[in-house]
Amino acid sequence: MTPGHWFSPLNPRIRDWHGQRVWLVGASSGIGAALARALLTAGARVALSARTPERLAKVAGRSTNALVLPMDATQPAQWSAGLEEITARWKGVDLVIFCSAQYQPERSWEVKAEGVRTMLEANLASVYFGLETVLPSLLASGSGGLAIVASVAGYMGLPNATVYGPTKAALINLAELLYVDLRPRGIAVTLIDPGFVQTPLTARNDFPMPALITPEQAAEYILAGFAAGRFEIDFPWRFTRVVRFISRLPYRLRFALLGRMLGA
Ligand SMILES: NC(=O)c1ccc[n+]([C@@H]2O[C@H](COP(=O)([O-])OP(=O)(O)OC[C@H]3O[C@@H](n4cnc5c(N)ncnc54)[C@H](OP(=O)(O)O)[C@@H]3O)[C@@H](O)[C@H]2O)c1
C-alpha cells in the first residue's frame, strides 16, 4: 500500500446517482422513506421494500424510477423473489441498503422470549438472508455495494436497548468484517450509524433524546457520506463523537459516567 492510499476514501465515492440501481429495505417509514425520496430525487432507480405495500406506494409517489417491492425481510424466500423481480426489471442491482429494524425499549427484567426472537430476526438474521441472496451476483460482477444501518446504540451496552442494542453491535461487527472480506473483491461496504432520529421507531422512547434530527436530515447526512466514500457514516457528529468517546473509556470510568447520566 502506497502512502497515498492512507488519504483516499475507503469506498468509491457516489456523487452521481443517475443509473444506480438501489434496493432499499425498510423504505416505508422514517429514515428509509426519507432516504428513498432523496435517492429518487437524486436520479437513482430505487426498489422500495418493507412489509406494508400502501406506505411504500406513498413513498414511491409517481416516480417512474421507483419499484414497489413489498417483502418481509425475515423470510429468505422473499429476498430471492425480490432479487428476481429487480433483475427482471433492471438487469441487476448496484447497492443494497439494509435499513429495516424493529425496536422495543425494555429493561433486562422485562425481556420476553418472543420479543427477542422477533427483534433478532428482523434486525440481524434478515441481513444474513439478504447477503445470501445478493452476494453471488455482486461477487460475479466484482462491483456494487452493501450498506448496513446499525446505530450508535451498538457502540456500547445501554440499558433500555436490551435486545435492540446487541443486534446493532452485531451489525457493526458484521459490516467491519464484510469490508475486509468483500472490498478486495470490488464490493463497497458502508456502515451507517445514526444518532437519534425522529421516526415511529424512536416515538416509543419516553426520555428526552439528545441531538434529535429529522429523517430528512438523516438522509442528507447519508448521501453526503456516500459522496465522500466513507466506510462509517455516523451522524450527527456532535452526538456520535460523545458516545464513541464514552464507549472507549476504561470500564470503571464508563460505568460510573453512564450510571450518573442515566440515573441508573
Ligand atoms: N430513529 C433513530 O433514532 C435510529 C437511530 C439509530 C439507528 N436507527 C436505525 O435506522 C433504521 C430505520 O429506523 P427508523 O427509525 O426509520 O424506523 P421506522 O420508521 O420504524 O422504520 C423501520 C422500517 O423497517 C421496516 N421493517 C420492519 N420490520 C421489517 C421486516 N420484517 N421486513 C421488512 N421491513 C421491515 C418497516 O416497515 P414495515 O413495518 O412496513 O415492514 C419500516 O420501513 C433502523 O435500522 C433503525 O434501527 C434508527
Side-chain angles (χ1 to χ4, degrees):
M1 189 178 265
T2 61
H5 282 98
W6 294 106
F7 300 102
S8 53
L10 287 171
N11 283 313
R13 300 172 192 268
I14 308 180
R15 289 177 170 146
D16 180 3
W17 287 92
H18 292 92
Q20 292 279 342
R21 300 161 297 180
V22 183
W23 189 0
L24 206 171
V25 182
S28 67
S29 100
I31 299 170
L35 182 58
R37 288 194 185 98
L39 286 167
L40 287 167
T41 303
R45 281 182 278 178
V46 187
L48 303 110
S49 288
R51 293 165 303 174
T52 322
E54 304 77 33
R55 284 196 273 148
L56 292 174
K58 218 169 152 189
V59 176
R62 292 178 177 190
S63 173
T64 50
N65 278 336
L67 172 62
V68 172
L69 201 59
M71 69 175 228
D72 182 339
T74 65
Q75 304 302 316
Q78 297 192 22
W79 277 98
S80 308
L83 182 64
E84 262 178 45
E85 196 166 336
I86 296 175
T87 309
R89 186 75 69 101
W90 295 336
K91 298 192 169 34
V93 63
D94 300 303
L95 174 65
V96 183
I97 305 177
F98 298 90
C99 188
S100 59
Q102 292 174 29
Y103 169 59
Q104 173 63 46
E106 56 199 341
R107 301 300 290 267
S108 48
W109 52 86
E110 295 169 326
V111 165
K112 294 276 181 290
E114 203 39 50
V116 173
R117 200 190 311 274
T118 301
M119 247 185 290
L120 290 179
E121 287 188 0
N123 300 7
L124 187 55
S126 65
V127 178
Y128 287 97
F129 300 153
L131 289 175
E132 184 187 354
T133 308
V134 300
L135 274 180
S137 54
L138 291 180
L139 284 168
S141 71
S143 64
L146 306 164
I148 295 180
V149 181
S151 169
V152 293
Y155 284 1
M156 63 179 161
L158 293 166
N160 231 29
T162 312
V163 184
Y164 179 85
T167 65
K168 294 300 179 176
L171 288 179
I172 293 172
N173 186 296
L174 177 61
E176 290 169 356
L177 76 85
L178 286 174
Y179 185 90
V180 179
D181 216 14
L182 300 175
R183 192 69 202 100
R185 291 169 171 76
I187 300 169
V189 179
T190 306
L191 167 65
I192 300 172
D193 284 326
F196 286 114
V197 185
Q198 197 162 23
T199 68
L201 186 142
T202 46
R204 317 183 85 171
N205 285 336
D206 60 0
F207 54 85
M209 292 178 272
L212 186 67
I213 60 170
T214 65
E216 289 70 30
Q217 287 172 310
E220 269 179 44
Y221 278 114
I222 293 170
L223 290 198
F226 277 117
R230 286 169 58 193
F231 165 69
E232 189 195 18
I233 304 175
D234 59 304
F235 54 84
W237 281 0
R238 64 185 186 281
F239 180 64
T240 59
R241 269 187 301 203
V242 175
V243 183
R244 187 182 297 284
F245 172 75
I246 297 173
S247 76
R248 288 182 178 166
L249 291 173
Y251 279 124
R252 184 177 295 277
L253 259 176
R254 189 215 287 190
F255 292 153
L257 191 63
L258 281 178
R260 189 170 294 194
M261 285 168 68
L262 303 171

